[in-house]
Amino acid sequence: DIVMTQTPLSSPVTLGQPASISCRSSQSLVHSDGNTYLSWLQQRPGQPPRLLIYKISNRFSGVPDRFSGSGAGTDFTLKISRVEAEDVGVYYCVQGTQFPLTFGGGTKVEIK
Amino acid sequence: QITLKESGPTLVKPTQTLTLTCTFSGFSLSTTGVSVGWIRQPPGKALEWLALIYWDDDKRYSPSLKSRLTITKDTSKNQVVLTMTNMDPVDTGTYYCAHIRLERFWIVDYFHPWGQGIVVTVSS
């Protein structure tokens, strides 16, 4: 199984300041078709997860442009350029390259 | 617009079998290149993928739970059903179903959207 490791576990951020979350996979997520199936989800308190980013860096429809994804191979990053109050929640990376599908352990973004 | 909703019992006893239904709209599981998956989340913990079913009835399971899981679809009712046998208190959590966007008909690109989830408690 591909293990997805997220850091940090928690990220206290001042409103308006940036936040960065790392996701590292135990194996390369590059599929034989050349794509990398790494996506990011946001889960606000009491809500189901919501898709933010897919294929490393593609922002999903309706997602604010302060969210961006980057990385390659085994190292990936989600960045929030200026954290807003509505960004509080837990963020997960998930890989679809290989079965079984696996999620990271989650990173909690909270306001200082 | 795609929507999904989970239904089923919210309380089950240890050793019982859990049956959850995902009822969806906005797409058909008889259409080529469509998939639905189940994911669960223990209280305060991370997400865990359980199973998925493809439009052609192919299925994939989490290896650690494969012996206990069965996923089926009823295309006429727009439903996907997940059964989990021999329930244990550690299976307590929120169970979600989600539409899966596929690449090249079988590669999992992403989960979107998700249902609201159903909280299942396993207790005697």
Side-chain angles (χ1 to χ4, degrees):
Chain A
D1 299 6
I2 297 178
V3 177
M4 307 293 287
T5 303
Q6 285 184 233
T7 54
L9 288 178
S10 177
S11 180
V13 184
T14 301
L15 286 173
Q17 293 301 302
S20 181
I21 300 169
S22 171
C23 174
R24 184 163 292 177
S25 58
S26 60
Q27 304 173 34
S28 172
L29 296 186
V30 180
H31 194 277
S32 57
D33 75 345
N35 288 315
T36 300
Y37 297 98
L38 184 282
S39 56
W40 290 94
L41 307 168
Q42 175 196 59
Q43 187 174 32
R44 291 170 171 153
Q47 295 294 313
R50 163 198 176 202
L51 177 67
L52 296 177
I53 303 283
Y54 63 97
K55 287 196 188 79
I56 302 177
S57 59
N58 293 274
R59 197 179 306 113
F60 191 70
S61 175
V63 174
D65 61 7
R66 64 179 180 275
F67 290 94
S68 64
S70 63
T74 61
D75 288 295
F76 307 93
T77 302
L78 175 71
K79 291 183 179 177
I80 311 173
S81 58
R82 296 172 305 279
V83 171
E84 298 189 4
E86 66 178 18
D87 300 335
V88 165
V90 181
Y91 292 77
Y92 295 94
C93 58
V94 53
Q95 65 83 18
T97 295
Q98 180 183 121
F99 286 107
L101 310 178
T102 46
F103 292 84
T107 295
K108 187 174 185 178
V109 171
E110 50 195 357
I111 305 302
K112 277 183 185 175
Chain B
Q1 180 193 4
I2 292 175
T3 64
L4 306 97
K5 186 174 183 179
E6 305 86 351
S7 60
T10 57
L11 177 65
V12 296
K13 291 180 166 50
T15 75
Q16 286 187 334
T17 294
L18 172 69
T19 300
L20 296 175
T21 300
C22 175
T23 304
F24 55 85
S25 63
F27 67 98
S28 172
L29 253 179
S30 60
T31 301
T32 299
V34 177
S35 178
V36 170
W38 283 94
I39 305 96
R40 72 176 179 179
Q41 185 173 39
K45 295 189 177 181
L47 300 162
E48 178 186 18
W49 172 71
L50 301 176
L52 67 79
I53 190 165
Y54 290 94
W55 81 96
D56 63 355
D57 210 36
D58 194 11
K59 300 154 189 178
R60 295 286 187 270
Y61 295 99
S62 167
S64 62
L65 293 165
K66 185 175 183 178
S67 63
R68 300 173 53 204
L69 295 174
T70 302
I71 189 170
T72 59
K73 63 181 175 71
D74 186 330
T75 304
S76 65
K77 293 182 179 179
N78 280 350
Q79 291 180 334
V80 171
V81 175
L82 181 76
T83 61
M84 180 180 290
T85 61
N86 194 24
M87 293 293 284
D88 183 273
V90 300
D91 297 313
T92 292
T94 302
Y95 286 72
Y96 297 99
C97 62
H99 174 268
I100 297 173
R101 196 266 173 187
L102 298 175
E103 184 87 359
R104 303 174 197 273
F105 302 123
W106 67 276
I107 305 169
V108 174
D109 195 356
Y110 54 76
F111 296 92
H112 174 81
W114 295 59
Q116 281 297 309
I118 182 168
V119 178
V120 178
T121 301
V122 184
S123 174
S124 54

